[in-house]
Amino acid sequence: LKVPVTETVLTAIQIERKGISNLVDVSRMTVGLKIGTGSVETGSLVSIRGFGTNATDPGVDQSVSLNLDGLQLTQGMSYSVGTFDMQQVEVLKGPSALLFGRGGSGGLVNQTTKTPTLQTHKEVSVTLGSNRQKRAVGDLNLRTGDDSAVRLIALKESSGNYRYPQGMEKTGLAPSFWT
């Protein structure tokens, strides 16, 4: 109870309104969190309050962990996690083992995905930006019974870059069923 931990939570509404599309954008909105993306060889570099991790060296004690729905992502892999299907992103600054089991002294980033609800809804959002950026996200939630539902979230994104010919193409699909 006396362990100093600070928590920052970005909700789905904040993620959408601020145009957050990946964890690097989350780090721009969170004091004390730095996330740098590298190549497949360098992996995702995460630092919270100066404690860091290099995802490519599983033998090193990890001071910061990346979690998805409360489960720690495998160390030693490179991640490029988008936020198109996130309900919220929680950043714990400080020792995380008290809440999430095995963890480091730096903290953790926990990403919570959207789950089906018992209310039917349909939503489409489109973003257009500089460097030929085009992004479309569709969210379809259907009630399938008295206590069951299915949800499908899809993403299609492409953009150029100010350094031709580099660009980006992303496609995402997140189906889920709840009963």
Side-chain angles (χ1 to χ4, degrees):
L1 293 174
K2 296 184 182 203
V3 177
V5 176
T6 306
E7 181 178 25
T8 302
V9 178
L10 293 173
T11 64
I13 293 170
Q14 291 171 313
I15 290 170
E16 181 181 337
R17 286 186 181 161
K18 294 181 185 282
I20 296 171
S21 64
N22 55 45
L23 289 181
V24 175
D25 292 341
V26 170
S27 70
R28 291 184 186 126
M29 302 291 176
T30 308
V31 175
L33 172 67
K34 288 184 88 172
I35 297 178
T37 57
S39 64
V40 173
E41 294 82 27
T42 60
S44 300
L45 305 173
V46 181
S47 172
I48 297 178
R49 289 184 174 170
F51 291 94
T53 183
N54 185 344
T56 61
D57 191 357
V60 175
D61 179 35
Q62 305 297 324
S63 297
V64 176
S65 62
L66 290 172
N67 290 20
L68 184 62
D69 293 327
L71 300 174
Q72 187 175 23
L73 296 172
T74 305
Q75 297 295 339
M77 297 182 72
S78 177
Y79 299 102
S80 177
V81 180
T83 57
F84 75 98
D85 67 334
M86 293 294 150
Q87 182 63 36
Q88 66 183 29
V89 177
E90 304 147 346
V91 179
L92 265 61
K93 297 175 229 171
S96 59
L98 183 65
L99 299 172
F100 287 89
R102 181 177 173 258
S105 53
L108 68 84
V109 178
N110 184 45
Q111 304 145 91
T112 306
T113 56
K114 293 178 180 176
T115 57
T117 63
L118 293 178
Q119 292 184 332
T120 298
H121 76 270
K122 303 167 195 161
E123 182 180 339
V124 174
S125 66
V126 176
T127 303
L128 301 172
S130 58
N131 295 315
R132 301 180 315 276
Q133 180 196 19
K134 297 176 235 66
R135 177 182 170 100
V137 178
D139 186 353
L140 174 65
N141 188 88
L142 298 173
R143 185 175 182 165
T144 58
D146 289 338
D147 58 354
S148 62
V150 65
R151 189 168 196 168
L152 179 64
I153 306 170
L155 162 79
K156 182 65 179 166
E157 182 175 9
S158 69
S159 70
N161 193 317
Y162 63 93
R163 297 185 331 200
Y164 181 81
Q166 296 175 346
M168 177 204 38
E169 295 283 333
K170 288 185 182 179
T171 304
L173 190 62
S176 54
F177 180 73
W178 180 74
T179 181

